[in-house]
Amino acid sequence: MRPRSFSGGLLLPSSSRSEPQPFEHVPFPETFFLPMKQHKGAGCRPLFKKDAAVQRGQILGQSSETAIQSPVSGHITEVNKGFRHLDGSITTCLTLAASEEAEQTTPAAQKAPVMDKILGSGVLDFGPAQPLMRKLIRAQERGVRTLIINSLDEFFVFGSRSALLVHHTSRAMEGIRLLQHMLQPETTYLAVYEQSLPLLDKDIPIPDSVRVVPLRAKHPQYKDPMLVSALTGQEYPMESSPLELGIASISLETASTLAAVVNHDEPNTHKPLTVLGPEPKEQNNVLVPLGSPIRHLLQHLGRESEDVAKVIVGGPLTGTALSSLDYPVTKEMDQIHFHRAKDQISYSSEVCVKCGYCVEVCPMRLMPFLLSGYSSTGFVDMAADNDIFSCIECGCCAYVCPVNIPLVQWIQVGKSRLSTNLRSEAV
Amino acid sequence: MSELKLTVTPSPHVHSGNSLTAMMRDFTIALLPATIFGIYFFGADVVRGVLIAVVSALVWEGLSQWLSGRKLELGNLHAVFSGLLLALILPPGLPWWTILVGTLLMVLLGKEVFGGYGSNPFNSVLVAWVALQLSYPDYMAQWILPLADPATTSAPMEVFTSQGPAFVREYFSYTDLFLGRTAGFTGQVSALMLLIGGAYLLWRKTINWRIPVSYLAGVFLFSGVFWLLGTGAYADPLFHILAGGTMISAFFLATDLPSTPTTPQGMILFGLGAGILTVIIRTWGAWTFGAFYAVLIFNMFTPFLDKIAPEVYGR
Ligand code: SF4
Ligand code: SF4
């Protein structure tokens, strides 16, 4: 089958491996940090105070759409009300000391409706991270004709999602069946990078109702707009969503987690992650207890070194740089990169030479140099006329620019100025 | 472990490594076959012309940036490339001071007055070339002759515009035109050498295929139509492709970044339009080197062509 694709974008670096590395389990740390907000949007309300004893799997924080469970049994040693989330907002963070008894038993399974289990274990979907509960309810309201299961990792052919696909196929299929049951789609696509297609285990049957579709390994194929257009040939404006077309796009990781919490009554306490660097070729797929400080992960992998100069959560083109190794692993992460000082790039204030590279690669068919030019010179209305809000901040344009113009940053500036203008007009 | 100092910067955190310097280095390398052929064909005087052009372009640019208090940008090699390119479209044997005037105009009028490379609306090399053509028409039409004996002392395109297509067929074989065994500008005579350079640029992805391909297509198709209709009154399309600077225009002049469109559609229209205009100027116009004028004239349309933006996803 010829792999499908989209126009523009960047070819992913080819992998030196022939298959994704199986997951390595990272042991529990002594101390956990559990922010009550683990996606963009409202966080959870903490249910415990300092010194309270908690059980593994117990709900520590709850909102109407999601929850945070305790990864271990132990007691809360601190309630920090001034914790800074990745998006800059302030939330509460519980510090949890694991109890001495090494035994970390899981509480007995309880009979509960599926939606309650999804809510109680706080399953998130990705791209961007949001409560699965919310997505499912909206999808059920609108009706789903096409279900897309997304197994693509950002920028890497063999990251944690393809490891789930290749090494934990039956779990993933269980999850897909659950989603099919809940959403009743006419068609279900399983989107995989073409490199993963031959690795799918012939012994583990993929249901006939699931069409496996190979995609070319390009950035940002994993994002919804590119997935939807490659698989269905349809496009939708960015202020809308694929659900308006009757399409639900759900991550394969979400499907696997769903199978774990619904069918197997496991608490949602571990996170599959791709970890890269600091040395260029170092790549691991790991299962990390949620709430582990990133320092713990680094120490476990034996990568702790003076060379680490930058820590990025998310992909190399879209991720957020952290200011501290004490930041914990949270549900919304999918990759962690450790960069050395010499890997760092610098942006410039030079003039655009109008080479058109950015136009060529933009998957949204925008004119990045114009958007950035208008934003940096204050003509934000012109940027709005040129569809600045359609930019998905994939980073392709800045990646190819020969004079290193920080295109994405300027576009973000333009967007936020426009939003402020809109808000002040509304007042 | 001692506390690490972590750097916090916005995304993206990686870069392709593309740079203007690398692009200009590629452009310069791509001109080497034509340069070497020029030296072999016209003799050592070409070395003199090229050196004067490149060194003076660097000096003028350095001086202008220093005097206007801007950052020195000689490192991006644009002065080297544009100096070399100008030298290759000047007649071999041009007096040294004429070259100096040419590079001065190229640097000052072509780009520095607009704020440097990137902001120039016209191809700076062509600005200089046209200025020289208008100011010193006699010098610009005096070639030193090739070391090997060519069929005529005039360039093929001059023979075409002054005497008509019949003479062209008589004097020049396609092989001569393709290899470059004719009189003409220093680095413009050999279609083959420029094609090698162009292929290198395409292979390195330094230039986009759209402008050169649509430019060549514009020249070929438009001249082809008249050739088919015109019963010997018009030159054949292959002649238009091989002679008169079509190749150097296609790969090196019409691909100047700041003065040409940035969108896929704009590039195609630019190439087609400039290609058609090239043939029009040659066939019905007063100027011999329509290939150069056409590109310069089409630079003016770039802002309009850039308005033809691609249709945004989902719109
Ligand atoms: S303009 Fe936006 S969508 Fe287009 S390449 Fe740049 S970051 Fe991606
Ligand atoms: S890639 Fe950079 S230099 Fe080229 S057009 Fe875009 S912004 Fe300008």
Side-chain angles (χ1 to χ4, degrees):
Chain A
M1 211 186 322
R2 231 178 101 232
R4 301 198 200 171
S5 195
F6 61 96
S7 68
L10 309 167
L11 282 179
L12 301 193
S14 59
S15 174
S16 52
R17 306 178 137 272
S18 57
E19 62 159 42
Q21 192 202 35
F23 287 106
E24 182 180 327
H25 279 264
V26 176
F28 289 122
E30 282 165 20
T31 310
F32 293 77
F33 297 98
L34 297 155
M36 289 294 109
K37 174 181 151 87
Q38 305 203 353
H39 67 276
K40 277 201 175 105
C44 296
R45 195 168 46 82
L47 303 178
F48 290 92
K49 293 212 159 54
K50 190 165 181 266
D51 298 330
V54 296
Q55 297 296 313
R56 172 171 153 86
Q58 200 167 8
I59 297 175
L60 300 183
Q62 177 85 63
S63 77
S64 60
E65 296 182 310
T66 186
I68 311 286
Q69 285 175 304
S70 178
V72 288
S73 304
H75 67 281
I76 294 170
T77 56
E78 198 193 334
V79 178
N80 173 5
K81 293 216 157 87
F83 183 86
R84 194 173 285 279
H85 180 257
L86 290 174
D87 68 9
S89 62
I90 300 293
T91 185
T92 305
C93 177
L94 302 184
T95 310
L96 180 73
S99 58
E100 291 296 319
E101 316 91 76
E103 247 158 282
Q104 292 287 355
T105 48
T106 311
Q110 288 158 6
K111 274 233 173 297
V114 172
M115 277 300 190
D116 289 0
K117 288 187 179 177
I118 295 174
L119 176 62
S121 48
V123 184
L124 292 191
D125 189 37
F126 304 96
Q130 58 182 300
L132 176 66
M133 173 85 172
R134 181 200 303 168
K135 203 162 186 176
L136 288 178
I137 290 174
R138 286 192 187 159
Q140 283 172 340
E141 278 167 10
R142 284 184 178 67
V144 170
R145 268 182 290 116
T146 311
L147 172 63
I148 298 176
I149 303 293
N150 180 359
S151 79
L152 311 178
D153 290 282
E154 178 182 340
F155 213 67
F156 293 95
V157 176
F158 292 138
S160 61
R161 305 239 159 100
S162 60
L164 285 172
L165 173 74
V166 172
H167 301 302
H168 302 270
T169 319
S170 50
R171 232 342 130 82
M173 292 308 136
E174 269 181 51
I176 296 176
R177 268 193 227 103
L178 281 169
L179 288 168
Q180 285 179 317
H181 181 72
M182 280 185 270
L183 300 174
Q184 298 292 327
E186 291 162 23
T187 320
T188 305
Y189 293 111
L190 173 56
V192 306
Y193 283 132
E194 54 177 319
Q195 288 85 341
S196 297
L197 189 64
L199 304 177
L200 288 177
D201 193 341
K202 296 286 170 295
D203 300 334
I204 299 167
I206 291 177
D208 289 339
S209 58
V210 178
R211 285 180 57 191
V212 184
V213 187
L215 290 146
R216 272 188 86 198
K218 269 173 48 174
H219 178 82
Q221 180 67 73
Y222 73 103
K223 291 220 183 222
D224 278 351
M226 277 71 241
L227 261 189
V228 167
S229 68
L231 294 177
T232 70
Q234 287 173 289
E235 295 185 346
Y236 59 95
M238 285 308 103
E239 60 274 12
S240 165
S241 99
L243 284 178
E244 303 297 328
L245 300 172
I247 300 170
S249 159
I250 292 179
S251 165
L252 181 95
E253 182 184 325
T254 308
S256 305
T257 313
L258 189 65
V261 303
V262 173
N263 290 0
H264 304 270
D265 289 301
E266 293 169 11
N268 183 11
T269 57
H270 281 72
K271 179 71 201 177
L273 279 181
T274 316
V275 183
L276 297 106
E279 292 303 317
K281 292 274 167 205
E282 288 174 333
Q283 177 178 347
N284 296 70
N285 292 326
V286 291
L287 274 175
V288 201
L290 284 165
S292 313
I294 286 174
R295 183 193 309 281
H296 171 72
L297 174 65
L298 198 60
Q299 283 167 348
H300 169 75
L301 293 172
R303 309 269 185 77
E304 201 185 8
S305 87
E306 299 294 318
D307 285 350
V308 176
K310 192 175 182 184
V311 180
I312 302 149
V313 302
L317 280 131
T318 63
T320 310
L322 294 181
S323 57
S324 160
L325 283 174
D326 293 326
Y327 202 94
V329 171
T330 60
K331 291 179 197 172
E332 65 206 299
M333 300 177 175
D334 50 5
Q335 302 185 353
I336 298 185
H337 294 254
F338 299 108
H339 278 190
R340 302 166 296 184
K342 63 177 162 212
D343 299 326
Q344 299 196 35
I345 58 168
S346 55
Y347 288 104
S348 80
S349 53
E350 310 217 345
V351 287
C352 160
V353 298
K354 321 239 169 36
C355 64
Y357 284 3
C358 55
V359 181
E360 181 94 13
V361 294
C362 177
M364 299 304 286
R365 303 191 295 267
L366 298 164
M367 309 254 284
F369 76 97
L370 266 190
L371 300 179
S372 148
Y374 286 141
S375 300
S376 61
T377 48
F379 294 99
V380 282
D381 294 332
M382 301 287 278
D385 291 345
N386 283 281
D387 263 309
I388 191 169
F389 283 105
S390 285
C391 168
I392 55 173
E393 298 178 15
C394 64
C396 291
C397 51
Y399 182 79
V400 296
C401 177
V403 288
N404 294 54
I405 296 175
L407 291 149
V408 179
Q409 272 162 268
W410 281 123
I411 291 174
Q412 286 166 338
V413 168
K415 282 181 182 174
S416 76
R417 283 208 188 129
L418 279 163
S419 312
T420 336
N421 291 357
L422 282 180
R423 243 177 282 137
S424 55
E425 271 165 35
V427 170
Chain B
M1 177 162 131
S2 65
E3 200 44 51
L4 290 174
K5 277 256 174 290
L6 295 182
T7 324
V8 178
T9 54
S11 66
H13 305 281
V14 286
H15 189 265
S16 58
N18 284 349
S19 71
L20 197 56
T21 311
M23 292 171 81
M24 290 303 149
R25 195 187 306 131
D26 277 345
F27 270 120
T28 310
I29 290 172
L31 278 178
L32 290 183
T35 311
I36 293 166
F37 183 83
I39 298 169
Y40 155 80
F41 195 57
F42 292 107
D45 186 69
V46 167
V47 179
R48 178 197 67 108
V50 164
L51 280 181
I52 294 176
V54 170
V55 173
S56 64
L58 280 166
V59 170
W60 298 137
E61 184 169 317
L63 271 178
S64 125
Q65 287 169 354
W66 180 61
L67 289 176
S68 60
R70 301 211 343 258
K71 208 176 96 216
L72 279 193
E73 281 167 5
L74 299 180
N76 70 22
L77 299 183
H78 180 251
V80 173
F81 164 66
S82 54
L84 177 59
L85 182 55
L86 181 64
L88 296 190
I89 54 171
L90 295 177
L94 197 68
W96 60 271
W97 57 269
T98 328
I99 305 178
L100 289 189
V101 172
T103 51
L104 181 65
L105 292 174
M106 176 178 82
V107 169
L108 286 187
L109 214 55
K111 63 174 179 181
E112 293 300 301
V113 288
F114 300 106
Y117 186 67
S119 309
N120 49 313
F122 295 103
N123 183 328
S124 57
V125 178
L126 286 178
V127 166
W129 185 87
V130 169
L132 289 181
Q133 192 69 251
L134 298 179
S135 321
Y136 311 106
D138 297 340
Y139 286 121
M140 289 293 282
Q142 261 170 34
W143 333 94
I144 57 166
L145 287 183
L147 300 175
D149 234 3
T152 62
T153 55
S154 306
M157 200 47 74
E158 288 179 309
V159 175
F160 169 70
T161 45
S162 58
Q163 299 176 6
F167 288 90
V168 173
R169 273 193 295 278
E170 196 175 303
Y171 291 136
F172 310 102
S173 72
Y174 289 130
T175 323
D176 283 345
L177 292 171
F178 183 62
L179 296 179
R181 289 192 297 234
T182 66
F185 295 127
T186 308
Q188 162 261 319
V189 287
S190 171
L192 172 65
M193 293 301 148
L194 293 162
L195 207 53
I196 294 174
Y200 171 78
L201 290 177
L202 287 172
W203 172 67
R204 297 275 299 163
K205 295 205 170 67
T206 311
I207 57 171
N208 188 294
W209 60 270
R210 289 188 181 88
I211 288 181
V213 169
S214 61
Y215 177 77
L216 293 175
V219 169
F220 191 85
L221 297 176
F222 193 73
S223 60
V225 168
F226 282 91
W227 179 63
L228 287 176
L229 296 177
T231 61
Y234 301 98
D236 64 284
L238 204 53
F239 173 77
H240 275 290
I241 292 283
L242 295 177
T246 310
M247 283 295 171
I248 203 163
S249 262
F251 292 108
F252 295 95
L253 293 165
T255 53
D256 178 51
L257 308 171
S259 62
T260 59
T262 51
T263 65
Q265 294 90 330
M267 288 179 185
I268 301 262
L269 289 175
F270 180 92
L272 282 178
I276 290 170
L277 188 60
T278 297
V279 178
I280 293 178
I281 295 177
R282 284 172 180 173
T283 312
W284 296 286
W287 298 321
T288 306
F289 286 92
F292 301 162
Y293 288 105
V295 170
L296 189 65
I297 291 171
F298 254 77
N299 285 168
M300 282 193 281
F301 290 102
T302 296
F304 303 103
L305 292 172
D306 260 344
K307 292 254 179 326
I308 314 172
E311 201 184 338
V312 174
Y313 177 102
R315 293 282 165 222

